[in-house]
Amino acid sequence: MNKHGQLADFLQARRAQLRPEDVGLPTYGERRRVPGLRREELAMLAGISAPYYTRLEQGQSRNASPEVLDAIARALRLDESERAHLLALARAPRGGRSAGRPRAERVTPATSALLAAIDGTPAIVMGRRSDVLAWNRQGHALFAGHLDPSSPDDPGRRPNMAKLVFLDAHTRDLYTDWPAKARAVVGNLRLTAGRYPDDPQLAGLIGELTMRSPQFATMWADHRIQACDTTDYEMRHPLVGTLTVTQQTLQSPQGDGPVLVVATADPDSPSATALALLAHTTVTTHALAPQGAAQPSHDAEPRTTG
């Protein structure tokens, strides 16, 4: 991946998704050869010259000011997450050097303690490439109960949530509105790709999903951005039936470490009852497990499956 190549693709894709009538431009019934706005129309809306915008969209200009980028973001009608993504793509590395490869991810003792403290509430710890680095019993049961619960502890078998959503039949059936979940996964991966353009494992993951899933390839080409902060999903769980959960993604203020994804339900709702039943089921299953069974350890150095 290349930041400036991503910037060009992002601008082209988002310009193509805006119609003249969306931004109040008259067309006088003319037939247009390409979908969306023309470059000169977008440049006019942003208040910059068409030749300059063309160079920017072609990846030939790498020094756009924040003011120019803000003007382009307004012309493209980007939301706050999309605007931040645009700024990240346009930001040149200091000293003209390419950004260094992101450091290896690990679950800190503090995160392990937090995971233990919320026992009873489904939770998983995910890396930047959506690898599952750790989960509690309820998180495993809710999101991937068909997988070995110890798999996050084995780098060779570590689950990847993006792969599960697009390539795993159980996970696809888990979400009533699967396309909404899939778009959220793709939108979040787009944000990650903007932050870590030199991550070869992330590029490998995106390449694999593009080759193996036509749905992923189509959604990836849209260049839609979606920050997965707080979202409601209706799930069809094989053990406890249909329930609606709120998935919250919690991360460090720096935004550069693993994230904690927690699933909750409205108090006293049927979904809360279903989550409580799931928690009881997992505790019972754990109690019946062989006493000598190895328990996961989450402070080993992880590597990804992507």
Side-chain angles (χ1 to χ4, degrees), residues 4 34 50 65 85 109 124 141 161 191-192 217 262 286 288 298:
H4 295 290
V34 295
S65 69
H85 180 66
I124 63 176
M161 291 306 297
L191 284 172
T192 306
V262 180
H286 180 74
L288 294 176
H298 301 311

Side-chain angles (χ1 to χ4, degrees), residues 155-175:
R157 297 186 301 128
R158 184 165 290 142
N160 179 280
M161 291 306 297
K163 289 184 182 180
L164 289 177
V165 167
F166 280 95
L167 305 177
D168 180 75
H170 173 94
T171 306
R172 178 184 286 261
D173 291 341
L174 194 59
Y175 290 92

Side-chain angles (χ1 to χ4, degrees), residues 257-278:
V259 299
L260 180 69
V261 180
V262 180
T264 58
D266 290 338
D268 302 320
S269 66
S271 296
T273 301
L275 282 184
L277 177 59
L278 184 63

Side-chain angles (χ1 to χ4, degrees), residues 1-256:
M1 294 181 291
N2 174 276
K3 264 195 177 187
H4 295 290
Q6 289 189 69
L7 174 61
D9 291 342
F10 178 71
L11 291 174
Q12 291 169 18
R14 299 313 300 268
R15 177 172 59 82
Q17 292 161 11
L18 270 182
R19 298 172 301 174
E21 53 266 35
D22 294 333
V23 294
L25 290 178
T27 60
Y28 306 107
E30 63 178 324
R31 297 186 62 182
R32 303 170 73 92
R33 293 181 298 172
V34 295
L37 297 179
R38 300 183 177 115
R39 285 174 178 159
E40 58 269 22
E41 291 171 333
L42 196 285
M44 180 189 67
L45 290 171
I48 60 179
S49 72
Y52 177 78
Y53 177 77
T54 297
R55 293 196 301 273
L56 189 65
E57 191 175 282
Q58 292 176 343
Q60 298 173 3
S61 179
R62 303 187 178 187
N63 58 351
S65 69
E67 293 77 15
V68 167
L69 294 172
D70 279 339
I72 292 173
R74 288 193 297 271
L76 289 172
R77 300 195 170 186
L78 304 183
D79 62 25
E80 191 58 34
S81 295
E82 293 165 335
R83 174 186 169 279
H85 180 66
L86 173 63
L87 293 174
L89 293 180
R91 189 179 302 122
R94 292 182 180 180
R97 299 178 182 177
S98 61
R101 292 187 181 183
R103 59 180 180 271
E105 296 172 298
R106 62 172 72 241
V107 179
T108 65
T111 301
S112 295
L114 179 59
L115 201 59
I118 59 174
D119 186 50
T121 299
I124 63 176
V125 180
M126 288 200 312
R128 59 182 166 268
R129 308 177 195 97
S130 73
D131 295 303
V132 178
L133 306 180
W135 51 27
N136 60 15
R137 291 191 302 272
Q138 294 76 27
H140 163 254
L142 179 63
F143 294 108
H146 60 304
L147 300 182
D148 184 341
S150 66
S151 56
D153 196 50
D154 182 348
R157 297 186 301 128
R158 184 165 290 142
N160 179 280
M161 291 306 297
K163 289 184 182 180
L164 289 177
V165 167
F166 280 95
L167 305 177
D168 180 75
H170 173 94
T171 306
R172 178 184 286 261
D173 291 341
L174 194 59
Y175 290 92
T176 302
D177 188 354
W178 178 84
K181 177 61 178 178
R183 286 192 295 270
V185 169
V186 173
N188 192 61
L189 278 179
R190 270 288 176 199
L191 284 172
T192 306
R195 295 188 187 112
Y196 302 103
D198 299 318
D199 186 337
Q201 291 174 305
L202 178 60
L205 170 65
I206 293 167
E208 178 182 354
L209 288 170
T210 300
M211 293 296 294
R212 297 180 62 186
S213 171
Q215 295 98 331
F216 179 89
T218 298
M219 293 180 186
W220 186 254
D222 275 347
H223 286 261
R224 294 290 182 182
I225 305 302
Q226 186 168 344
C228 298
D229 297 326
T230 302
T231 310
D232 292 337
Y233 291 109
E234 184 179 87
M235 306 178 79
R236 298 172 297 202
H237 197 276
L239 292 181
V240 296
T242 301
L243 70 162
T244 299
V245 301
T246 300
Q247 291 186 24
Q248 299 182 65
T249 301
L250 311 175
Q251 62 182 8
S252 68
Q254 294 77 21
D256 59 353

